[in-house]
Coordinates of all heavy atoms in Angstrom, one line a residue:
S363 N -12.2 -1.3 3.5 CA -13.1 -1.5 4.8 C -13.3 -0.2 5.4 O -12.5 0.6 5.7 CB -12.2 -2.4 5.8 OG -13.0 -2.6 6.9
S364 N -14.7 0.0 5.6 CA -15.1 1.4 6.1 C -15.1 2.6 5.3 O -15.8 3.5 5.5 CB -14.7 1.5 7.6 OG -13.3 2.2 7.5
G365 N -14.2 2.4 4.3 CA -13.9 3.6 3.4 C -12.9 4.6 4.1 O -12.3 5.3 3.3
H366 N -12.8 4.6 5.2 CA -11.9 5.4 6.1 C -10.5 4.7 6.2 O -10.4 3.9 7.3 CB -12.4 6.0 7.3 CG -11.6 7.1 8.0 ND1 -11.6 7.3 9.4 CD2 -10.7 7.9 7.6 CE1 -10.9 8.3 9.7 NE2 -10.3 8.6 8.5
W367 N -9.6 4.8 5.4 CA -8.3 4.0 5.5 C -7.1 4.9 6.0 O -7.0 6.0 5.7 CB -8.0 3.5 4.0 CG -7.2 2.4 4.0 CD1 -5.8 2.3 3.6 CD2 -7.5 1.0 4.3 NE1 -5.3 1.0 3.7 CE2 -6.4 0.2 4.2 CE3 -8.7 0.5 4.8 CZ2 -6.4 -1.1 4.4 CZ3 -8.7 -0.9 5.1 CH2 -7.6 -1.7 4.9
M368 N -6.3 4.2 6.8 CA -5.2 4.8 7.5 C -3.8 4.3 6.8 O -3.8 3.2 6.2 CB -5.2 4.4 8.9 CG -6.4 4.7 9.6 SD -7.1 6.3 9.4 CE -5.7 7.3 10.3
Y369 N -2.9 5.2 6.8 CA -1.6 4.8 6.5 C -0.6 5.1 7.6 O -0.8 6.0 8.4 CB -1.1 5.7 5.3 CG -1.8 5.6 4.0 CD1 -3.1 6.1 3.9 CD2 -1.3 4.8 3.0 CE1 -3.7 6.1 2.6 CE2 -1.9 4.7 1.8 CZ -3.2 5.4 1.6 OH -3.9 5.3 0.5
N370 N 0.5 4.2 7.8 CA 1.5 4.5 8.9 C 2.7 5.1 8.0 O 3.1 4.8 7.0 CB 1.9 3.1 9.5 CG 1.0 2.7 10.5 OD1 0.8 3.3 11.5 ND2 0.4 1.5 10.2
F371 N 3.1 6.2 8.8 CA 4.3 6.9 8.3 C 5.3 7.0 9.4 O 4.9 7.5 10.5 CB 3.9 8.3 7.8 CG 4.9 9.2 7.3 CD1 5.5 9.0 6.2 CD2 5.3 10.3 8.1 CE1 6.5 9.8 5.7 CE2 6.3 11.1 7.7 CZ 6.8 10.9 6.5
A372 N 6.6 6.7 9.1 CA 7.6 6.8 10.2 C 8.9 7.3 9.6 O 9.1 7.3 8.4 CB 7.8 5.5 10.8
S373 N 9.6 7.9 10.6 CA 11.0 8.5 10.1 C 12.0 8.2 11.1 O 11.8 8.1 12.4 CB 10.8 10.0 10.1 OG 12.0 10.7 9.8
K374 N 13.2 8.0 10.6 CA 14.4 7.7 11.5 C 14.9 9.1 12.1 O 15.8 9.1 13.0 CB 15.4 7.0 10.7 CG 15.0 5.6 10.5 CD 16.3 4.9 9.9 CE 17.3 4.6 10.8 NZ 18.4 3.7 10.2
S375 N 14.5 10.2 11.6 CA 15.0 11.5 11.9 C 13.7 12.4 12.4 O 12.7 12.0 12.3 CB 15.8 12.3 10.9 OG 14.8 12.5 9.8
D376 N 14.1 13.6 13.0 CA 13.1 14.5 13.6 C 12.6 15.4 12.4 O 13.3 16.4 12.0 CB 13.7 15.4 14.7 CG 12.7 16.2 15.3 OD1 11.5 16.0 15.1 OD2 13.1 17.2 16.1
I377 N 11.4 15.0 11.8 CA 11.0 15.8 10.8 C 9.6 16.2 11.0 O 8.9 15.7 11.9 CB 11.0 14.9 9.4 CG1 10.0 13.8 9.5 CG2 12.4 14.6 9.0 CD1 9.7 13.2 8.1
D378 N 9.0 17.2 10.3 CA 7.7 17.7 10.3 C 7.0 17.2 9.0 O 7.4 17.5 7.9 CB 7.8 19.2 10.4 CG 6.2 19.7 10.5 OD1 5.3 19.0 10.4 OD2 6.3 21.0 10.7
P379 N 5.9 16.3 9.1 CA 5.3 15.9 7.9 C 4.6 17.0 7.1 O 4.2 16.8 6.0 CB 4.3 14.8 8.4 CG 4.0 15.2 9.9 CD 5.4 15.8 10.3

Side-chain angles (χ1 to χ4, degrees):
S363 179
S364 82
H366 188 203
W367 201 250
M368 308 305 296
Y369 297 80
N370 280 295
F371 176 74
S373 172
K374 290 184 70 171
S375 64
D376 187 10
I377 64 162
D378 181 355

